[in-house]
Amino acid sequence: MKVTVDFDITPDEVRKLFGLPDVEAFQRQMMDDIRERMMSGAEGYDPIKLFQPYMAGTMASWDLFQKMLTNVAGISGSTAAAPEATTGKK
């Protein structure tokens, strides 16, 4: 048996249903401030610095993910291929 339920609801109604805060005005204010700084070329505005906190976290996450995969696969610190993989013999 298969049951399908469709809801015709707006994102605003979903936000209110789950009790999430309305941050639209805050987001609009922040974007207007960033846009104003970009347009005026305000001193101290550096787009690279704006994204550095996000990039640092992203790179750390990838490093952790690679270590996890290495541990799961049981790969040692060596990157040399196993002899049977290169010769085809065991």
Side-chain angles (χ1 to χ4, degrees):
M1 175 167 59
K2 183 176 180 181
V3 176
T4 303
V5 178
D6 292 328
F7 292 98
D8 187 18
I9 188 168
T10 66
D12 188 48
E13 291 169 334
V14 171
R15 181 187 53 75
K16 288 178 183 176
L17 179 69
F18 288 112
L20 299 173
D22 184 9
V23 294
E24 183 179 353
F26 174 71
Q27 289 175 332
R28 189 177 310 116
Q29 181 183 1
M30 291 298 293
M31 290 306 295
D32 288 345
D33 185 42
I34 291 171
R35 187 178 300 113
E36 182 180 317
R37 288 183 186 199
M38 287 174 62
M39 297 304 278
S40 67
E43 186 175 330
Y45 174 76
D46 185 9
I48 300 297
K49 287 184 181 180
L50 182 66
F51 292 103
Q52 276 180 345
Y54 302 108
M55 293 305 293
T58 301
M59 296 310 289
S61 297
W62 275 111
D63 186 43
L64 184 64
F65 181 69
Q66 286 178 328
K67 287 180 183 179
M68 181 200 64
L69 288 180
T70 302
N71 291 338
V72 168
I75 300 172
S76 66
S78 174
T79 57
E84 60 269 2
T86 57
T87 62
K89 297 180 184 176
K90 291 185 181 180

